Every structure is written in C-alpha cells, then in structure tokens.
Amino acid sequence: MKNIDTGKLGENAVKEYLLNKGYIFLKSNYHSRYGEIDIIFENDKYIIFVEVKTRKKGSLVRGIDSVDIFKRGNIVKTALMYLAEFKPQKQPRFDVAEVLINRMGECEKINYFENAFDMEELGAFF
C-alpha cells in the first residue's frame, strides 16, 4: 500500500469509529498555510480536531509519538483558522487517533487519545 492509501484507510476507520460514538462529522482534510487537520467532528460539548496517524503493525514509532511539539503547533494554528472561518460556539479539543493496520491493509486496532494536547501547553511555541 502507498502511504496516501494507508493514510486514507486510517482516516476512514477513525471517521467510522467516531460516527459510531454519536459524534457529528464536519470536515475532512481542512487546509491552512500551516498544514492540515485530518478530521473535524463535534459532539454536545466540543469541536474536535483529530490528527490520525496510521501505522503498519510492528512499526518502530507509535503514531502518538510522531505528533511532536511542532506538529501540534501547526495543528493548533490551523484549528484557529478554522475557528475564525466557521465560528463554532463550542470549546475546541485536540485528539490523536493511532490506527494499526495489518499486512492485508485492514484496520486492526484504533488507539484513540481524547484531549491529547491543548493550546496552553504550546504557549512557548507561539
């Protein structure tokens, strides 16, 4: 599988996972000059910005570990652009989904990290 196919497989699996939890889908692949947010959802309390990291089983680096301080900063900046554009009335939340796929290219497991990071921890980054 190509990386683009792998990434889309992971995003689709997480989208289905969150829809099954009753979340409302808003947007995929929102772009700004700072980068991209993979998936945006909302629930009764939050607008949820989800970074999806898809890994093949046995990968050396976990998906959550690849979302470093610089990536987080770019996600937050992109989220701020989204918030300015669409003006939702809910609190933002930043989640990370780690998707593991097997050799057949099938989703085997989703590790979902709610509130994986927040804007306050990035204060020095801005």
Side-chain angles (χ1 to χ4, degrees), residues 89-105:
Q89 299 301 309
K90 296 181 179 179
Q91 179 74 25
R93 188 177 86 193
F94 299 94
D95 296 357
V96 175
E98 189 179 74
V99 180
L100 300 174
I101 60 171
N102 61 26
R103 290 183 196 174
M104 305 300 286

Side-chain angles (χ1 to χ4, degrees), residues 29-72:
N29 308 113
Y30 178 80
H31 291 271
S32 81
R33 63 182 172 183
Y34 302 108
E36 176 188 77
I37 294 175
D38 294 324
I39 310 172
I40 303 171
F41 273 84
E42 70 178 355
N43 65 14
D44 57 334
K45 289 184 182 180
Y46 300 101
I47 182 158
I48 304 156
F49 300 96
V50 184
E51 176 67 12
V52 179
K53 291 297 184 184
T54 307
R55 296 288 186 261
K56 294 177 182 167
K57 194 172 179 180
S59 179
L60 296 176
V61 179
R62 291 189 59 199
I64 188 78
D65 295 332
S66 67
V67 185
D68 62 16
I69 190 78
F70 298 107
K71 179 70 173 170
R72 291 175 185 198

Side-chain angles (χ1 to χ4, degrees), residues 46 48 92-96 112-118 121:
Y46 300 101
I48 304 156
R93 188 177 86 193
F94 299 94
D95 296 357
V96 175
Y112 195 85
F113 303 91
E114 284 187 12
N115 205 24
F117 60 94
D118 59 37
E121 75 181 59

